[in-house]
Amino acid sequence: MKLLTYKTQDTEARLGFIHNNQVIDMEDFGEISNFPLPNDMLELIDLGFEIIVEITEIISETSKEFFDEVAYEMNEVTILAPIEKPRKNIIGIGLNYTEHVAESARTLDTTGKLPQKPIIFSKPPTTVTATNTEIIKNTKLTEQLDWEVELAVVIGKKGKYVAKEDAMNYVFGYTVINDISARDCRREGQWIVSKGQDTFAPMGPILVTKDEIENPHNLNLSLKVNGVEKQNSNTKFLLFNINDLIEDLSMIFTIEPGDIIATGTPSGVGAGRNPQEWMCDGDVVEATIEGIGTIVNTVKEI
């Protein structure tokens, strides 16, 4: 199921899903189906993945005219971040593609050695922004604004000490994150100032439930700046795959429904180029992942 958070000219944020190239309001669909449904992505996730199976069955039994009652055309809605306000920090994974490890060692304060365990950092909830919004470049803080396309995993079930072979049972779905980074804001090896500024986690455009992604470890991901391709790779090159990450993270702390794991970026970031490239006022950045979609954002200097 392709889920989204959206609004119209007449509504605040609402939960919907895409069906026949239309946005179907989730709560309204529940009303016409006599099957109460929530109006918030986190509330839906809290119900467990089983709810997706039930909704899918109801959709298959619902006639077109019923959908027309609760549908919007795509151009009638504004798409918001799938999870506008995460309950906790986004969990970031650093240096998780081999070639990115190498390019980071050339230009940043990393060793070039392949990590033996996942490198973990976090991004506050206030980093989240939607597609078609601005990425704020605060020139008092940074002149080195960089891009990082990443597959984000959304957790659907509480877990502790999850074995890697069971990890996919804890996944609810996937989305796209652009892990915006201010390279000149690293402080003695600490990354949160570099990674955690407002608007530094464009997310979306939708959340795709796990049943729609046959193999999350074989998805093309790419990024363009002003129409020029900068990154192009595949999730099969993850150093630590999703199973590894869930096993490791759940050993450290309890994973919970709605948690978001940004799994790392491939090579091609601005810091790794010769000469280095940074985003400036007015630059348009597009992050794309196969089967999920593209998020588009414009840099705004303040």
Side-chain angles (χ1 to χ4, degrees):
M1 181 172 289
K2 294 179 172 62
L3 301 167
L4 77 163
T5 300
Y6 77 96
K7 67 179 181 180
T8 70
Q9 290 183 336
D10 302 318
T11 69
E12 297 298 321
R14 296 187 64 82
L15 176 63
F17 62 91
I18 297 174
H19 181 71
N20 291 335
N21 294 315
Q22 291 181 310
V23 174
I24 311 299
D25 187 275
M26 183 70 76
E27 186 178 46
D28 290 347
F29 177 71
E31 288 184 7
I32 67 169
S33 303
N34 197 28
F35 186 78
L37 290 168
N39 188 37
D40 176 83
M41 188 74 75
L42 288 172
E43 290 180 16
L44 182 74
I45 294 170
D46 285 342
L47 295 175
F49 190 77
E50 296 76 16
I51 193 67
I52 299 301
V53 176
E54 294 183 72
I55 296 170
T56 301
E57 290 178 357
I58 296 171
I59 290 172
S60 67
E61 298 167 356
T62 303
S63 60
K64 184 180 184 302
E65 56 267 24
F66 279 95
F67 283 112
D68 290 342
E69 295 180 25
V70 293
Y72 296 95
E73 299 302 322
M74 295 297 296
N75 61 7
E76 293 180 306
V77 307
T78 298
I79 298 177
L80 308 174
I83 301 175
E84 283 194 286
K85 296 179 180 179
R87 293 171 178 143
K88 298 187 290 187
N89 283 17
I90 295 167
I91 303 160
I93 306 297
L95 304 176
N96 203 26
Y97 285 78
T98 303
E99 291 181 356
H100 182 52
V101 173
E103 72 176 359
S104 295
R106 291 193 298 268
T107 55
L108 299 171
D109 59 349
T110 57
T111 66
K113 296 179 181 179
L114 293 182
Q116 299 304 299
K117 292 184 177 181
I119 297 172
I120 303 166
F121 62 93
S122 74
K123 299 171 77 80
T126 47
T127 58
V128 172
T129 189
T131 188
N132 297 317
T133 63
E134 293 176 337
I135 297 166
I136 301 302
K137 178 182 178 181
N138 186 340
T139 55
K140 293 180 181 179
L141 291 173
T142 181
E143 292 297 334
Q144 298 182 356
L145 196 68
D146 208 345
W147 56 81
E148 294 190 6
V149 59
E150 306 198 6
L151 174 67
V153 178
V154 180
I155 297 298
K157 185 168 69 170
K158 185 176 182 178
K160 181 68 175 173
Y161 305 121
V162 177
K164 66 174 65 179
E165 55 267 26
D166 296 328
M168 287 301 168
N169 293 328
Y170 292 79
V171 173
F172 187 84
Y174 307 95
T175 190
V176 183
I177 278 183
N178 190 350
D179 176 17
I180 301 298
S181 306
R183 301 298 186 190
D184 47 358
C185 289
R186 295 156 68 95
R187 295 183 180 177
E188 299 297 327
Q190 298 297 314
W191 295 5
I192 196 163
V193 181
S194 169
K195 303 280 195 175
Q197 297 176 38
D198 291 355
T199 73
F200 274 24
M203 182 195 302
I206 61 175
L207 190 162
V208 178
T209 55
K210 63 180 178 181
D211 56 309
E212 298 233 351
I213 302 290
E214 183 177 355
N215 181 5
H217 298 123
N218 188 21
L219 297 175
N220 293 324
L221 68 169
S222 61
L223 182 140
K224 296 178 180 179
V225 179
N226 298 328
V228 178
E229 186 173 270
K230 302 296 183 181
Q231 293 182 282
N232 192 327
S233 189
N234 189 287
T235 55
K236 66 184 177 183
F237 298 117
L238 283 165
L239 182 59
F240 300 102
N241 67 22
I242 295 164
N243 302 68
D244 298 326
L245 295 175
I246 289 176
E247 181 180 65
D248 186 67
L249 292 167
S250 68
M251 186 176 298
I252 302 165
F253 48 77
T254 301
I255 58 173
E256 296 180 308
D259 283 356
I260 302 165
I261 306 169
T263 58
T265 200
S267 61
V269 300
R273 295 178 171 271
N274 187 16
Q276 292 179 324
E277 299 177 15
W278 312 116
M279 292 189 291
C280 301
D281 190 59
D283 283 349
V284 177
V285 57
E286 305 169 62
T288 301
I289 297 182
E290 176 186 0
I292 302 174
T294 300
I295 49 176
V296 182
N297 298 92
T298 303
V299 175
K300 174 68 173 178
E301 292 186 356
I302 61 171

